[in-house]
Amino acid sequence: MKDFVEVKKMPTCTDELETTNNRIHESCLRAYWILENVKELLNRNIPYDMTLEFIKMMED
C-alpha cells in the first residue's frame, strides 16, 4: 500500500508529467494508487466511513 500523502501528490493526467514523447502507463497516475489503496482497505475490513475519508484525503 502506498502512503496516502505520496498518492495525493501524484499527477492526475499525463499532461502534468515530464515525458520524452513516450506514453505513460496509467499505473503511474494517482487514480491507480487510490484504487489499490482502497482495495487494501477493503481487504482489511476498514469501516466504510473511514475508507471514504481516506479517498477524500487522497483526492484533495
Side-chain angles (χ1 to χ4, degrees):
M1 190 155 110
K2 276 206 178 281
D3 179 79
F4 293 118
V5 175
E6 182 182 345
V7 171
K8 186 175 175 176
K9 292 177 183 177
M10 290 179 172
T12 57
C13 68
T14 57
D15 293 344
E16 297 175 20
L17 299 173
E18 294 181 22
T19 64
T20 55
N21 295 327
N22 294 326
R23 295 189 142 238
I24 304 288
H25 190 273
E26 73 174 79
S27 66
C28 297
L29 304 178
R30 188 189 319 179
Y32 174 84
W33 290 109
I34 291 174
L35 177 60
E36 288 298 305
N37 283 353
V38 168
K39 288 173 17 184
E40 180 66 25
L41 294 173
L42 293 173
N43 284 329
R44 292 184 184 184
N45 293 320
I46 301 295
Y48 174 79
D49 56 337
M50 288 181 66
T51 302
L52 286 177
E53 283 299 315
F54 286 125
I55 293 169
K56 287 179 188 176
M57 283 173 35
M58 289 183 286
E59 288 179 329
D60 291 337

